[in-house]
Amino acid sequence: SQSSLERCFSPIPRGDFMNILVTGGCGFIGSNLAASHLSKGDAVFVVDDLSTGTLKNIEAFKNNPLFRFEKAS
């Protein structure tokens, strides 16, 4: 059986590009890290419980096919 993480994020093998997991990705540092990797063409999966971060910080990524978000509990 697949874990929640495996169901939400299927690795994308694409040459030199990477699959990146950012925990706390809705915070200031995490969202900027996600933006940096997306700009390089990397696939980014963000996990955040939104205790201090906000969805506003990742709003610009929501339509990017290389971006995934999962709210942690």
Side-chain angles (χ1 to χ4, degrees), residues 24-28 31 46 48-59 61 69:
C26 292
F28 177 77
S31 61
V46 165
D48 200 304
D49 66 1
L50 301 175
S51 59
T52 58
T54 175
L55 291 174
K56 188 169 109 174
N57 288 339
I58 60 168
E59 180 74 22
F61 316 142
F69 169 71

Side-chain angles (χ1 to χ4, degrees), residues 5 21-26 45-49 68-72:
L5 179 62
L21 171 65
V22 181
T23 58
C26 292
F45 181 67
V46 165
V47 178
D48 200 304
D49 66 1
R68 304 268 191 288
F69 169 71
E70 178 76 17
K71 184 180 182 309

Side-chain angles (χ1 to χ4, degrees), residues 6 8-9 11-12 18-20 23 30-31 33 41 46 57 59 61 72:
E6 290 169 327
C8 293
F9 185 64
I12 304 169
M18 297 190 300
N19 295 298
I20 306 297
T23 58
S31 61
L33 182 61
V46 165
N57 288 339
E59 180 74 22
F61 316 142

